[in-house]
């Protein structure tokens, strides 16, 4: 990934936003599994050509910062905090040395990576010994791996309260996302897959799961109106599904991704949900007006509504549907054959 800084943001922000803390484990992550196999395939193929502006990564940075604050909220001992931070840094540099362990410096880099791994292990052992009671009650940011249908799936939950058997995931997002049914479906599967992996790896049951929404754009004046959330931070329960049903879903999704890996991007078409597709719309306006009286999804419906609800002088305006993700947010749309066809009006 290459970053641009088109808005000339402060170097401190640039450094924080572009810092890579991701450690690769397994063939596929839970979030990638749920998402489009086509996008995953193209990201892997063009990974060295991907470009993102720093400004577009600030939401992710904000989420990481708030995750870190909540992760440390239960731990008051300063030595414990330092040990956790030290272990994370050592893991990060271990991964960096191993990734670049090629050519003449391979032996030296692998030697350093081994030392870094030992130091990270020491810091984690310190945490385990001195804060055993806490670790037995709460599991934080645990990285899990488990093999399904020949692929190792990687998942990392935010918080699992062992005694309460409660799984909690923080989502720093917008009110629109909270109200969007597609996103709720994605989040629900994510939590259910984590519950499945916790059972398989730790043999622990998850009795309840929830999403802790933190809204960036919350407005007090709209509190509780219709589907609008009642608070800036709001806990939303997730329905837990039978584990065998969740495992069937995981295997089905892995097979889809494996098929695209084998047969190429054209073997799968992104669904309207994955494209964040908006349908064609016909809106009824008062002549010369700026706010629509009604939005309908066929011209016939719009004409009928206009005839039944207006004096006939109102006007109908047509808005062509679009795939918002493809047009504005997808990093690989420029290489996507499906999107190219859509642009030519072939889909």
């Amino acid at each position: 990934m290459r970053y641009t800084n088109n808005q000339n943001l402060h170097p401190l922000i640039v450094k924080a936003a572009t810092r890579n803390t991701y450690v690769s484990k397994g063939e596929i992550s839970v979030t990638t599994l749920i998402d489009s196999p086509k996008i995953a395939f193209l990201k892997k193929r063009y990974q060295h050509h991907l470009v993102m502006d720093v400004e577009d990564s600030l939401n992710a940075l904000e989420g990481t910062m708030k995750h870190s604050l909540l992760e440390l909220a239960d731990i008051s001992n300063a030595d414990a905090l330092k040990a956790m931070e030290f272990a994370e840094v050592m893991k990060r540099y271990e991964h960096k040395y191993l990734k670049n362990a090629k050519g003449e410096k391979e032996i030296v880099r692998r030697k350093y990576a081994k030392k870094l791994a030992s130091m990270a292990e020491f810091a984690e052992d310190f945490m385990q010994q001195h804060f055993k009671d806490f670790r037995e009650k709460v599991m934080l940011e645990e990285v899990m791996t488990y093999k399904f249908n020949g692929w190792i799936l990687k998942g990392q939950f935010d918080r699992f309260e062992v005694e309460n058997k409660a799984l909690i995931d923080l989502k720093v997002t917008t009110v629109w996302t909270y109200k969007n049914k597609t996103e709720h479906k994605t989040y629900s599967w994510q939590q259910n897959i984590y519950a499945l992996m916790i059972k398989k790896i730790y043999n622990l049951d998850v009795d309840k799961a929830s999403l802790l929404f933190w809204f960036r754009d919350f407005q007090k004046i709209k509190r509780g109106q219709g589907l609008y959330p009642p608070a800036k931070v709001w806990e939303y329960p997730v329905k837990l599904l039978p584990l065998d049903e969740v495992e069937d879903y995981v295997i089905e999704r892995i097979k889809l991704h494996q098929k695209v890996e084998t047969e190429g991007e054209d073997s799968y078409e992104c669904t309207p949900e994955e494209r964040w597709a908006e349908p064609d719309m016909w809106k009824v306006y008062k002549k010369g007006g700026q706010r629509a009286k009604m939005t309908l999804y066929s011209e016939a419906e719009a004409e009928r509504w206009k005839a039944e609800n207006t004096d006939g002088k109102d006007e109908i305006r047509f808005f062509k549907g679009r795939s918002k993700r493809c047009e504005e947010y997808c990093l690989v749309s420029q290489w996507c054959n499906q999107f190219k066809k859509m642009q030519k009006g072939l889909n």
Side-chain angles (χ1 to χ4, degrees), residues 159-302:
R159 180 185 181 92
F160 179 55
E161 297 175 353
V162 180
E163 289 184 328
N164 300 329
K165 300 180 180 179
L167 184 62
I168 302 172
D169 197 33
L170 175 66
K171 297 296 182 186
V172 181
T173 186
T174 62
V175 172
W176 179 89
T177 301
Y178 167 77
K179 294 163 68 175
N180 186 282
K181 292 181 179 179
T182 300
E183 292 300 312
H184 274 229
K185 183 179 178 181
T186 298
Y187 292 155
S188 175
W189 276 120
Q190 188 179 47
Q191 289 291 78
N192 273 278
I193 294 171
Y194 290 155
L196 172 67
M197 296 179 77
I198 287 171
K199 179 63 177 178
K200 285 187 172 293
I201 296 169
Y202 305 109
N203 196 29
L204 295 172
D205 294 314
V206 178
D207 285 351
K208 54 184 177 181
S210 63
L211 301 168
L212 192 60
F213 284 105
W214 186 313
F215 303 109
R216 300 189 189 97
D217 56 349
F218 182 80
Q219 299 178 46
K220 290 182 180 180
I221 196 171
K222 296 182 179 180
R223 188 194 305 270
Q225 295 180 13
L227 296 176
Y228 205 86
K232 184 173 180 64
V233 179
W234 179 247
E235 188 174 11
Y236 183 86
V238 171
K239 181 182 178 181
L240 289 171
L241 303 172
L243 294 182
D244 57 348
E245 183 179 334
V246 179
E247 186 163 3
D248 288 343
Y249 171 81
V250 169
I251 293 173
E252 177 188 347
R253 294 296 303 178
I254 284 180
K255 286 180 178 178
L256 273 177
H257 283 267
Q258 289 173 332
K259 179 181 178 182
V260 178
E261 284 280 329
T262 303
E263 300 179 14
E265 65 153 308
D266 292 334
S267 63
Y268 181 87
E269 296 284 85
C270 288
T271 66
E273 288 182 345
E274 291 166 342
R275 291 186 279 109
W276 305 351
E278 298 173 350
D280 291 348
M281 293 180 286
W282 287 258
K283 296 186 178 185
V284 183
Y285 289 82
K286 184 177 179 179
K287 193 168 184 178
Q290 298 299 315
R291 177 176 292 185
K293 289 184 174 181
M294 179 59 66
T295 299
L296 297 131
Y297 298 97
S298 77
E299 187 175 12
E301 287 179 325

Side-chain angles (χ1 to χ4, degrees), residues 24-202:
S24 178
K25 291 184 178 181
E27 274 88 2
I28 191 169
S29 69
V30 170
T31 50
T32 301
L33 177 79
I34 299 169
D35 201 3
S36 162
K38 180 191 287 287
I39 293 176
F41 174 81
L42 290 174
K43 279 184 176 179
K44 188 179 292 185
R45 169 177 281 186
Y46 296 103
Q47 58 183 310
H48 299 301
H49 301 276
L50 299 181
V51 179
M52 176 184 284
D53 192 67
V54 173
E55 186 178 48
D56 295 328
S57 67
L58 294 185
N59 284 342
L61 175 62
E62 181 184 355
T64 300
M65 291 163 61
K66 288 172 180 173
H67 270 84
S68 298
L69 287 173
L70 293 184
E71 179 184 349
L72 302 176
D74 288 305
I75 305 175
S76 59
N77 187 288
D79 289 337
L81 299 183
K82 291 177 182 177
M84 287 180 66
E85 293 169 356
F86 180 80
E88 288 302 315
V89 171
M90 292 304 100
K91 286 180 182 178
R92 196 154 62 241
Y93 277 94
E94 176 201 1
H95 174 67
K96 181 179 179 180
Y97 273 103
L98 285 175
K99 185 178 180 181
N100 297 315
K102 299 174 184 177
E104 297 179 358
K105 297 183 179 180
E106 179 176 357
I107 295 176
V108 175
R109 288 186 178 274
R110 290 192 179 279
K111 181 180 177 181
Y112 275 116
K114 188 175 181 180
K115 288 183 178 179
L116 291 166
S118 297
M119 288 188 284
E121 185 179 355
F122 173 80
E124 289 180 333
D125 285 344
F126 174 84
M127 279 290 297
Q128 293 287 347
Q129 293 298 321
H130 292 271
F131 303 95
K132 186 177 180 182
D133 291 341
F134 170 75
R135 298 292 292 173
E136 288 177 350
K137 294 177 182 178
V138 180
M139 299 169 67
L140 298 171
E141 299 283 349
E142 292 286 335
V143 178
M144 305 176 290
T145 57
Y146 196 86
K147 183 176 284 189
F148 295 94
N149 202 56
W151 272 18
I152 296 175
L153 177 65
K154 173 198 169 184
Q156 184 173 1
F157 59 80
D158 289 342
R159 180 185 181 92
F160 179 55
E161 297 175 353
V162 180
E163 289 184 328
N164 300 329
K165 300 180 180 179
L167 184 62
I168 302 172
D169 197 33
L170 175 66
K171 297 296 182 186
V172 181
T173 186
T174 62
V175 172
W176 179 89
T177 301
Y178 167 77
K179 294 163 68 175
N180 186 282
K181 292 181 179 179
T182 300
E183 292 300 312
H184 274 229
K185 183 179 178 181
T186 298
Y187 292 155
S188 175
W189 276 120
Q190 188 179 47
Q191 289 291 78
N192 273 278
I193 294 171
Y194 290 155
L196 172 67
M197 296 179 77
I198 287 171
K199 179 63 177 178
K200 285 187 172 293
I201 296 169
Y202 305 109

